[in-house]
Amino acid sequence: MDPTLLAYRQAISDAAEFIRRRDPRESSIGLILGTGLGSLAEEIQQPVAMNYSEIPGFPASTVKFHAGRLVSGELAGKAVLAMQGRFHYYEGHSMRQLTLPVRVMHALGIRSLIVTNAVGGMRSTVPPGTIARITDHINLMGDNPLIGPYDPFLGERFIDMSEPYCLRLQALAERAAFKLGLVLTPTVYAAVSGPSFETRAELRMLVTCGADTVGMSVVPEVLVARQLDMKVLGLSVVTDQAMPDQVISVSHEQVNQVANEVGPRFVKLVREIIRTL
Ligand code: HPA
């Protein structure tokens, strides 16, 4: 057997074993908290926090504003395991490395995954401050975490992507938003590698392709989650206007600031979703 495949299997089971030893509580819900949205992890009750750097097999997080730790505990009465900060392709991690935590969550028994991120809004229908539900995505990252020597242990080779974002979870999220008086905007999300933000010509292309929002994450994790048959809910916070026909510059600081401002609304929504899940 390919030694890299064996090493990957080992990394998944070593990390899962480490986490289970630190916190034996079983959780069925996984959370991946994107840029500026990590405050949700502070709401977790009876938390057990583990820095990524101490978890065997985990890559090291390098992005400013990302805490880089795994927090397990209770949210809205449910056991959850949250990634406070994620790994990005633009940090130089391979797709396989950066999606390892999703495989570890699956190994720990997690079957529902809530994936969040900060995105640019490319249409006037998705201004900054919008909370969006991802209905579908376009992978323009130029890579795919399922590429590589095939290992049946990791799941199917050719996976169905007709319902990447679980319709039942989307409906549940809509009901939660309605109950809280929040608007949850349905969006098609385009994922690019970054770390450069898009040129106006690139934005024009993305809009023409049918995308509403653009970001630099989520898709790798969703591909792996679907390979493992996990149910996925994708939520985005629009942090900046990425409009092809207006010259508006964007910075990482701004992305973080707007995500922080939306934070309280976002936390309320995710908490209500988890309560009813
Ligand atoms: N483009 C790409 N990724 C992003 C953006 C953006 O405008 N905003 C937040 N993440």
Side-chain angles (χ1 to χ4, degrees), residues 18-256:
F18 174 89
I19 296 161
R20 204 174 276 129
R21 230 181 295 125
R22 287 287 289 270
D23 186 357
R25 288 173 294 185
E26 285 266 324
S27 41
S28 60
I29 305 168
L31 274 166
I32 301 179
L33 304 173
T35 306
L37 303 171
S39 63
L40 186 55
E42 314 293 342
E43 308 269 322
I44 293 174
Q45 306 294 303
Q46 292 123 38
V48 173
M50 295 154 255
N51 290 328
Y52 294 155
S53 55
E54 55 179 329
I55 306 174
F58 264 48
S61 182
T62 64
V63 192
K64 216 170 40 160
F65 306 120
H66 283 254
R69 55 187 204 148
L70 203 59
V71 185
S72 74
E74 278 190 24
L75 195 61
K78 302 269 168 71
V80 300
L81 184 61
M83 287 184 76
Q84 194 175 18
R86 59 149 59 77
F87 302 106
H88 297 86
Y89 191 53
Y90 61 71
E91 291 174 88
H93 304 300
S94 71
M95 286 262 168
R96 278 211 169 183
Q97 279 177 320
L98 76 92
T99 53
L100 182 111
V102 177
R103 298 199 183 275
V104 172
M105 284 181 172
H106 181 265
L108 290 167
I110 287 170
R111 295 295 179 265
S112 300
L113 185 64
I114 302 178
V115 193
T116 70
N117 71 342
V119 294
M122 299 187 289
R123 300 180 198 271
S124 56
T125 49
V126 281
T130 302
I131 301 181
R133 133 176 88 84
I134 307 177
T135 60
D136 208 344
H137 73 224
I138 304 174
N139 179 12
L140 292 167
M141 297 183 87
D143 202 349
N144 186 310
L146 311 185
I147 289 176
Y150 179 57
D151 181 358
F153 174 83
L154 302 178
E156 298 280 323
R157 165 103 287 186
F158 302 103
I159 64 160
D160 177 65
M161 286 298 283
S162 58
E163 191 186 326
Y165 301 90
C166 174
L167 291 174
R168 192 184 69 82
L169 290 183
Q170 288 187 60
L172 188 143
E174 277 294 342
R175 280 196 297 276
F178 182 76
K179 185 174 166 206
L180 297 170
L182 298 173
V183 176
L184 189 56
T185 308
T187 47
V188 172
Y189 164 67
V192 296
S193 70
S196 45
F197 289 111
E198 299 69 39
T199 64
R200 291 165 70 202
E202 286 164 348
L203 292 174
R204 200 169 298 117
M205 177 196 77
L206 296 174
V207 169
T208 307
C209 288
D212 304 299
T213 58
V214 57
M216 306 173 190
S217 61
V218 162
V219 161
E221 294 131 344
V222 171
L223 287 165
V224 167
R226 290 307 300 142
Q227 187 185 37
L228 297 166
D229 206 22
M230 295 162 86
K231 301 291 182 214
V232 178
L233 176 67
L235 298 174
S236 303
V237 169
V238 179
T239 53
D240 55 277
Q241 252 185 314
M243 306 282 271
D245 297 316
Q246 287 171 41
V247 188
I248 303 172
S249 64
V250 55
S251 67
H252 189 58
E253 282 69 24
Q254 182 199 343
V255 166
N256 197 59

